Amino acid sequence: MQYIVMDMEWNTAYSKKLGGFMNEVIEIGAVKLNDALEELDAFSVIVKSQVGKRLQSRVKTLTHLTNEDIANGVSFQTAIRQFSDWVGSEENIFLTWGDGDIRTLIKNHIYFLGQDILPFVCNYADVQKYCQSFTDVAGSGQQLGLSAAAEKLGINPDAFPHHRALDDSRLTVACFRRVFDAEKLKKYVYRCDTDFYARLAFKPYYITDLNNPAVDRRAFYCLCDMCGGKVRQEKKWKHTNQSFRTEFYCKTCDRHFRVCVRFKQLYDGVEVKKTYSEIVAESEEKSAVPTVTESTKS
Ligand SMILES: [Zn+2]
């Protein structure tokens, strides 16, 4: 088994063909590691942009790549052939910091080669998710940037200063080595089958129609979040701001409170988020202070 730690740089450009903006890959960098995480080889290629003619200033500042560098690069088609040859035919696990790089690579692959799978990628793991699970933001839903994560793991990111694709791959490798545990990694690794690509292409959205069969109406049943007793609903459920809300009154506690229920359709289920907030009467106005939030996934 080989690990391919990959990073890319891209430039956002308007595509006439798509009628919208796309992230065009301008550099691919990668490091190949064996089972013991020893570096076997490194890869770096600059891709000649075909959609965007000029680099965004943000990209120039971050990467120190110039318009001239990009003009002298190879086409995406050639870059992918070289990269695929370099990856080779041994069983691999691709690792990227967040899934943005792999999504962008797939989109470019579709755009330039008309193929929606990456034949040289056997397995994939989001190394950001994996590394974060060893830090104090684990389970918070927060996403750490590579440099911030490196610092939390006791690595000085300034030792990898250029933000070119290969530098960022090497910094990712340093983070990965610090927390590597083959057993723990397993639950982050996905086989790159059709389900994997469908999951990656799926865009989560909030359900706004109560008649959607995915909506579990039991989520609207509420008890007092202070005493657990039965409550009186004071208003009809109303849809605002991607969630459904209403107000309740608890006789036992003599208090009014608001409940917000939000349904998010994920690839493999619906996530329900229910928030209780206090309604405090301030002269004529009412303001709400969130008290409890509960999340469930079905
Ligand atoms: Zn109560």
Side-chain angles (χ1 to χ4, degrees), residues 17 23 25 28 31 74 111 126 143 161 184 186 189 218 232 238 261 264:
K17 184 168 132 187
N23 295 324
V25 174
I28 302 171
V31 175
V74 300
Y111 189 89
D126 179 347
Q143 294 189 327
K184 285 184 181 163
K186 274 185 187 163
V189 177
R218 282 174 297 181
R232 185 178 76 217
K238 196 180 153 200
V261 186
K264 192 178 189 181

Side-chain angles (χ1 to χ4, degrees), residues 46 126 136 146 188 194 197 199 243:
I46 291 181
D126 179 347
D136 54 359
L146 178 56
Y188 294 85
T194 45
Y197 288 100
R199 179 185 293 271
S243 62

Side-chain angles (χ1 to χ4, degrees), residues 223-231 250-255 257:
L223 294 170
C224 175
D225 59 315
M226 303 287 270
C227 70
K230 287 194 173 172
V231 289
C250 174
K251 203 176 168 191
T252 315
C253 304
D254 185 27
R255 63 186 273 265
F257 62 97

Side-chain angles (χ1 to χ4, degrees), residues 126-139:
D126 179 347
V127 72
Q128 179 191 44
K129 271 193 188 156
Y130 174 73
C131 287
Q132 277 193 191
S133 71
F134 294 88
T135 70
D136 54 359
V137 304

